[in-house]
Amino acid sequence: MKKKKITAILAASAMCMSMAGTGITVQASDVQREVINFALSQDPGNLSPWGNTTTAAKICYWGVYQPLGTITDGKEDLILLKNYEYSEDGLEMYCEIWDYIYDSDGNHITADDVKFSWDTGLELGGITGVTFVDSLEVTGDYTFTFHFNSTLTTGDSVGLFKWNVVSQAAYEASGDGMAVNPVGTGPYVISDYVSGSGFTSTLRDDYWQTDEYNSIVDGQNVGTINWFIITESSQRTIALQTGQVDICQDINSLDIAQFDEGGEYDDEYNIYGINEDMTLKLYPNCTSGAVTDDVNLRLAIFYAIDNETILNSVYSGIGTAAHELMANWATGYNSDWDTEDNYYNYDPEKAAEYLAQSNYNGEELVLIMENEEVKTNAAQLIQVFLQQIGINVTLSTVESSSFGDYVVAGEWDLCLRARAFNIYVSDAWWGDLSEDRWGDQGSMNFVKDETLQELIAASKELDSTQEDLDTLHQYIIDNAYIYGIVNPYDQYVIPSDMTEVVTTFQLNIIPGACSYE
């Protein structure tokens, strides 16, 4: 059976199995499917609006709670916000929410609820990345102002928009911070939550936003979503085989084939791959005087690594070989970067040439990585690649709980680490290499480079150009500061009647917003 094309609408402009151009707003549609059964691989723990960062919680939030806005197809997509504008000096943002927002308990949402949600979310650690905000001031029933301590840069609006807003009255009445019975403004309500078992989302018949505007992520295409918590991979596979569930968030790669084209269950399911926001990278220690503080040695190391082999051997080909420090769906990513002639093209002969030009004298390089199978396997391949050109490497695994401390201590030559970014290419560069992020350390791998910092700052400006991004990209390549290895896919099994996949900006499928035939 030939698989049909699936349209992707992605809240971060992600590159998936197939993709078609779409607008960023739609009108609410009639229910297209009465019931969807979704297998979660972990228990969200609680359903409170702030502070729960589990993947399961992020999947379930959408449709129940709502933020001020999100990012859809690389563009700002307002949800609770009706409009906003900046002051002339860029240090204030004047905001207005819709005046007819009601939650599922009938509470009317005002700017006071926005203020309460902001203050509570900050206190609980559920709102992050907003250190540029001094305060949120209520200025009217439905208006408020953000006061900034610096002008905004690219990506800052994501932090301003993405946090959940709830009614203060409903939150305080819940008694447990809405951990079990969330009350939100979205088109779905959650009920019957049983820890370790599951819960149900049901479509509201009184959803507030029906006429003027409705974001694609708040689609109302499913009547009831049953969430089954199935922590064992083998049991999730059985649940798919027996038809107990329609969507599976995480399935063993060895079981995928039976649901793909030509498999036993390909009439009932499709496989949908989402390129994650996480990239596996190799960081050389650039501390002055370190062995790897030698650009020729770094170039030799990077040319010696075949990331296509790592992708196929370690990740079973489920992902893409990187050509930068982020996934290729990032806003600002230049597709030309994928075809450039640089060290992302495996070339052991060129690696040997750079090694001969370096000051390397046979020292044993220490490569650290977290004590996880995928990272250990990737590190072992890197060790083999480098040994083939004459670079000696010792592997050192570190427990995840203390890995961050090891990185900062800097007693390593090479570090293998997976790091996420937000939405923009500049987010990844900033997160790895900016002094604003790493302070006196300079960067995650101790780079001290004023020109690099200037280029990063330019890439973060709201009016930055593609030329600014290309210049920084090339500068990082020329100096061989960090090597991107693999961008893994997160594979979903989805029902064969799903024709349009909609994800959050965190790249999680929103079953109620997807389309079905």
Side-chain angles (χ1 to χ4, degrees), residues 424-447:
Y424 301 92
V425 293
S426 55
D427 294 332
W429 292 325
W430 183 89
D432 280 334
L433 291 164
S434 175
E435 287 181 352
D436 289 339
R437 166 66 178 84
W438 294 97
D440 293 340
Q441 184 173 321
S443 75
M444 203 211 86
N445 55 331
F446 311 101
V447 174

Side-chain angles (χ1 to χ4, degrees), residues 32-345:
Q32 299 169 359
R33 182 161 173 160
E34 290 298 329
V35 178
I36 280 288
N37 298 315
F38 196 118
L40 295 170
S41 62
Q42 62 178 161
D43 190 332
N46 70 74
L47 300 170
S48 59
W50 312 290
N52 190 340
T53 59
T54 65
T55 299
K58 293 174 183 176
I59 293 173
C60 305
Y61 279 168
W62 287 87
V64 178
Y65 298 121
Q66 290 180 304
L68 295 177
T70 186
I71 303 293
T72 304
D73 286 337
K75 303 179 180 68
E76 291 177 355
D77 189 2
L78 304 186
I79 296 178
L80 298 181
L81 270 183
K82 181 179 181 181
N83 55 63
Y84 72 90
E85 64 178 349
Y86 297 112
S87 62
E88 289 188 9
D89 61 9
L91 294 177
E92 292 179 323
M93 178 177 170
Y94 310 120
C95 303
E96 180 183 10
I97 60 172
W98 298 98
D99 61 7
Y100 54 88
I101 303 171
Y102 289 86
D103 69 19
S104 57
D105 274 1
N107 296 293
H108 191 188
I109 304 299
T110 69
D112 286 330
D113 295 302
V114 175
K115 169 70 171 172
F116 168 79
S117 298
W118 172 264
D119 291 342
T120 308
L122 284 175
E123 181 181 350
L124 295 178
I127 300 176
T128 59
V130 291
T131 56
F132 55 90
V133 179
D134 272 338
S135 63
L136 186 158
E137 176 192 7
V138 173
T139 57
D141 289 344
Y142 307 104
T143 58
F144 59 94
T145 298
F146 283 112
H147 297 281
F148 306 136
N149 52 48
S150 60
T151 54
L152 294 188
T153 61
T154 299
D156 287 343
S157 60
V158 179
L160 286 177
F161 290 158
K162 68 181 182 180
W163 45 282
N164 296 315
V165 174
V166 300
S167 158
Q168 179 176 357
Y171 186 83
E172 293 176 344
S174 72
D176 63 357
M178 298 185 180
V180 176
N181 295 305
V183 178
T185 60
Y188 287 85
V189 292
I190 282 180
S191 62
D192 304 320
Y193 175 55
V194 178
S195 179
S197 178
F199 47 94
T200 298
S201 296
T202 306
L203 187 63
R204 290 174 56 184
D205 59 8
D206 60 348
Y207 176 53
W208 64 276
Q209 186 62 284
T210 58
D211 298 321
E212 295 189 54
Y213 177 90
N214 194 47
S215 170
I216 189 70
V217 299
D218 289 317
Q220 302 145 56
N221 297 331
V222 178
T224 299
I225 306 168
N226 294 313
W227 306 91
F228 293 90
I229 299 168
I230 307 176
T231 56
E232 290 291 329
S233 177
S234 60
Q235 293 301 310
R236 291 194 295 275
T237 298
I238 292 171
L240 287 166
Q241 293 170 335
T242 60
Q244 178 189 359
V245 300
D246 306 296
I247 305 177
C248 188
Q249 170 225 346
D250 185 17
I251 187 168
N252 190 306
S253 60
L254 298 176
D255 295 332
I256 283 287
Q258 60 189 294
F259 305 102
D260 205 353
E261 186 171 358
E264 183 180 356
Y265 301 96
D266 79 334
D267 283 348
E268 291 85 20
Y269 300 100
N270 283 320
I271 304 301
Y272 193 81
I274 295 178
N275 202 333
E276 297 179 10
D277 60 354
M278 190 78 69
T279 302
L280 183 70
K281 310 173 196 179
L282 184 67
Y283 298 82
N285 190 327
C286 293
T287 302
S288 178
V291 178
T292 45
D293 183 30
D294 178 339
V295 66
N296 286 316
L297 178 57
R298 297 198 297 270
L299 287 166
I301 291 169
F302 292 175
Y303 271 109
I305 297 171
D306 185 353
N307 60 0
E308 289 280 357
T309 294
I310 294 175
L311 169 65
N312 294 322
S313 299
V314 178
Y315 293 87
S316 302
I318 303 172
T320 57
H323 292 87
E324 241 295 350
L325 307 185
M326 72 295 292
N328 59 9
W329 54 258
T331 300
Y333 193 97
N334 186 342
S335 60
D336 290 343
W337 297 346
D338 293 334
T339 56
E340 292 174 338
D341 183 14
N342 56 40
Y343 49 67
Y344 285 107
N345 300 311

Side-chain angles (χ1 to χ4, degrees), residues 324-465:
E324 241 295 350
L325 307 185
M326 72 295 292
N328 59 9
W329 54 258
T331 300
Y333 193 97
N334 186 342
S335 60
D336 290 343
W337 297 346
D338 293 334
T339 56
E340 292 174 338
D341 183 14
N342 56 40
Y343 49 67
Y344 285 107
N345 300 311
Y346 171 57
D347 191 337
E349 291 184 1
K350 189 166 288 187
E353 292 174 6
Y354 278 111
L355 184 61
Q357 298 173 42
S358 75
N359 295 320
Y360 180 71
N361 291 311
E363 296 92 337
E364 196 81 16
L365 303 185
V366 176
L367 168 56
I368 65 169
M369 81 296 302
E370 290 177 271
N371 189 20
E372 297 174 0
E373 183 178 2
V374 167
K375 296 185 175 97
T376 301
N377 291 343
Q380 289 171 347
L381 277 176
I382 291 171
Q383 181 184 43
V384 171
F385 288 135
L386 297 186
Q387 285 175 338
Q388 287 175 346
I389 66 164
I391 297 177
N392 302 312
V393 177
T394 296
L395 304 184
S396 176
T397 57
V398 180
E399 291 298 325
S400 297
S401 60
S402 55
F403 188 70
D405 294 335
Y406 271 81
V407 171
V408 173
E411 295 179 1
W412 47 270
D413 301 295
L414 298 169
C415 173
L416 185 66
R417 191 177 194 183
R419 283 179 56 80
F421 69 104
N422 209 333
I423 289 174
Y424 301 92
V425 293
S426 55
D427 294 332
W429 292 325
W430 183 89
D432 280 334
L433 291 164
S434 175
E435 287 181 352
D436 289 339
R437 166 66 178 84
W438 294 97
D440 293 340
Q441 184 173 321
S443 75
M444 203 211 86
N445 55 331
F446 311 101
V447 174
K448 299 289 185 69
D449 184 333
E450 290 185 7
T451 300
L452 173 67
Q453 299 306 319
E454 292 170 359
L455 293 175
I456 291 173
S459 77
K460 291 283 286 179
E461 293 294 332
L462 293 178
D463 60 354
S464 65
T465 65

